[in-house]
Amino acid sequence: MKKFICLFFAAIICFSSIFSVNATSDSFSNTDSNTVIFYDNGDYLTISPIIYTESTTRAANTKDGHKTYTYSNSSDEVEWIFVINATFSYVYGSSVTCTNSSYTYTIYKDSWKFSDGSTSHSGGTAYAYGTFKNKVLFITTKTIDVEAQISCDIYGNLS
């Protein structure tokens, strides 16, 4: 009887730890939601999920994706938007190459200026960089450096 009770409690402990691990990992698997970074002054940067299009040929698959960074002030007014764009060519399960990377930006508040924009790509990853500076009476009051990237694996999954 003692063995049965010990085995029963051991089984409960094992099952409860399995379920808690699954619940924890599931909470991080949602890639459809925005990531938001808050600043001390109440402003925030929203990073939207990757949006993509796909085309297939006999030789390879092509995937175009873009990720949007939206900077808003504490009054929820959009001040600027930065978008990284990337094109990937992949052979399913075998290889992937980033064939093009670029960026675009839009400024909605005249006090912001953009500088130092650049892109690069290596293997299956595209990179875009830029600096936004908010100037009031020729004095820089805020500087936001954007370092964006999109990666593609050999199965065509973007992250």
Side-chain angles (χ1 to χ4, degrees):
M1 183 67 173
K2 265 186 171 179
K3 283 184 180 181
F4 175 76
I5 293 173
C6 289
L7 288 172
F8 178 75
F9 282 117
I12 289 175
I13 291 170
C14 288
F15 284 158
S16 65
S17 65
I18 289 170
F19 290 126
S20 65
V21 168
N22 286 340
T24 303
S25 64
D26 286 345
S27 66
F28 294 105
S29 66
N30 185 357
T31 58
D32 295 333
S33 62
N34 293 332
T35 300
V36 181
I37 300 168
F38 292 95
Y39 297 94
D40 292 338
N41 63 356
D43 294 357
Y44 57 96
L45 181 67
T46 305
I47 304 170
S48 300
I50 298 168
I51 297 173
Y52 65 90
T53 58
E54 187 169 13
S55 60
T56 304
T57 64
R58 253 169 57 148
N61 301 302
T62 301
K63 211 166 233 190
D64 295 310
H66 67 271
K67 188 188 296 186
T68 304
Y69 293 68
T70 304
Y71 187 87
S72 303
N73 63 27
S74 58
S75 300
D76 298 327
E77 299 169 324
V78 174
E79 297 198 355
W80 52 260
I81 294 175
F82 183 86
V83 180
I84 178 174
N85 305 291
T87 303
F88 301 94
S89 178
Y90 67 99
V91 176
Y92 188 85
S94 178
S95 64
V96 63
T97 303
C98 179
T99 58
N100 187 34
S101 58
S102 64
Y103 68 88
T104 59
Y105 67 92
T106 305
I107 295 177
Y108 295 98
K109 299 285 184 176
D110 291 336
S111 59
W112 285 97
K113 304 297 179 217
F114 179 78
S115 64
D116 302 324
S118 66
T119 62
S120 65
H121 50 273
S122 175
T125 305
Y127 304 94
Y129 309 95
T131 300
F132 289 89
K133 292 184 180 181
N134 190 359
K135 294 190 176 195
V136 178
L137 299 174
F138 305 104
I139 298 171
T140 301
T141 59
K142 296 178 203 167
T143 300
I144 306 292
D145 293 313
V146 177
E147 298 178 2
Q149 75 176 44
I150 299 176
S151 296
C152 183
D153 66 16
I154 59 175
Y155 302 104
N157 301 310
L158 297 182
S159 59

